[in-house]
Amino acid sequence: MSACCSRTRRPVRPRQKGYILIFGALALFFILIPAAGLAIDVGMMYLTQSLLSAASDGAALAGARALSRGSNDAAQRANAEATANAYLHANFPTGYLGSTNLQVNSVAAIDSAYVRSLTTTASVQLPMVFLRLLKINTSTVAANSKATRRDANIVIVMDRSGSLQTSGACAPLKASAIGFVDKFAEGRDNLGLITFATSSRVDNALSTTFKTAVDATLNSLVCTGATSSAQALWQGYDALVALNQPGALNAIVFFTDG
């Protein structure tokens, strides 16, 4: 006898190579390239944003400090704006990561009766690398910073006793005080000078036009006598109370050798 044997044929599956190629191309275009763009292009944007923000912060702070330069409010604001712009250009390298079209604008303003501000706005165009394939050629990166400066009412209470002359500290102390006076803004800040030795005296009353007068007083100051500071400190406090400007920065600055 002969046995008849039969085999079960497996079904023939259609070839899928074409579908895989199409799917791979679509995945490359819609998934991998955008992911690479996020990883590289967004990383470049983050680095640029960080540096631009730091430069903008520094510019605003430098501009606010420059509000003390000039004989009136208009000159002081112009100096502040120019200083802020210069600081930003100095701290953000030209062409950083291929960036172009750096735009900087600084504006000084009066916020309230005793407060002024400096606002710096900066932006650059950053070229994209991978995202160009999605027709995104550039991205704008911007930063904005603001610094405020309160008007100051400063009474300098300064020692002129003989111990300063004996120790050789009289001349350096006067020079330091003159440098300190120059930090304040005429026309906005009030500054006065009270000196003390055996007794105290109000050499220069609080005034918004103080630099020439106070510098002259300090240059001619003679250090002699004992050290008695209590009355001078009280006179300084009394002058600030009489001025009555609670919204400003009111301070007594005490110069002494102890």
Side-chain angles (χ1 to χ4, degrees):
M1 290 181 67
S2 63
C4 180
C5 300
S6 63
R7 292 185 301 173
T8 303
R9 292 187 177 183
R10 294 181 180 177
V12 178
R13 295 180 180 178
R15 295 183 178 182
Q16 298 181 355
K17 291 183 179 181
Y19 293 102
I20 293 174
L21 289 175
I22 294 173
F23 179 77
L26 292 174
L28 179 66
F29 188 77
F30 288 106
I31 299 176
L32 297 181
I33 291 177
L38 289 173
I40 296 176
D41 290 335
V42 174
M44 292 173 58
M45 291 171 62
Y46 175 80
L47 292 174
T48 304
Q49 174 75 51
S50 297
L51 184 60
L52 191 63
S53 293
S56 179
D57 289 345
L61 290 171
R65 286 195 296 268
L67 284 168
S68 63
R69 290 168 33 210
S71 58
N72 54 56
D73 180 68
Q76 290 160 7
R77 287 201 272 172
N79 283 328
E81 291 168 357
T83 298
N85 291 342
Y87 263 72
L88 194 136
H89 282 287
N91 288 288
F92 189 86
T94 301
Y96 179 74
L97 293 181
S99 61
T100 58
N101 194 30
L102 174 61
Q103 299 290 320
V104 183
N105 184 41
S106 296
V107 178
I110 299 175
D111 290 4
S112 63
Y114 304 113
V115 179
R116 290 183 294 176
S117 66
L118 191 289
T119 302
T120 296
T121 303
S123 65
V124 292
Q125 294 294 318
L126 185 66
M128 299 291 95
V129 180
F130 284 93
L131 293 181
R132 286 178 177 270
L133 297 175
L134 299 178
K135 304 299 182 181
I136 303 175
N137 296 326
T138 62
S139 177
T140 300
V141 179
N144 181 279
S145 301
K146 180 178 180 179
T148 59
R149 182 191 187 277
R150 292 169 64 190
D151 293 341
N153 300 323
I154 304 295
V155 177
I156 297 176
V157 176
M158 183 169 168
D159 192 349
R160 52 176 169 82
S161 63
S163 61
L164 288 164
Q165 187 67 37
T166 302
S167 65
C170 186
L173 182 63
K174 292 194 293 184
S176 297
I178 290 172
F180 180 74
V181 169
D182 194 52
K183 303 297 183 183
F184 297 93
E186 287 197 306
R188 297 283 305 190
D189 298 333
N190 284 280
L191 190 140
L193 174 66
I194 298 172
T195 60
F196 66 91
T198 304
S199 61
S200 66
R201 65 185 185 221
V202 179
D203 294 88
N204 300 96
L206 283 168
S207 171
T208 57
T209 54
F210 50 83
K211 289 186 178 181
T212 300
V214 173
D215 286 356
T217 300
L218 290 169
N219 281 320
S220 63
L221 205 64
V222 176
C223 294
T224 184
T227 303
S228 179
S229 61
Q231 183 182 12
L233 288 169
W234 175 256
Q235 287 175 312
Y237 173 78
D238 195 47
L240 290 173
V241 171
L243 190 61
N244 191 27
Q245 292 184 0
L249 176 64
N250 297 279
I252 295 174
V253 179
F254 190 48
F255 284 78
T256 185
D257 63 345

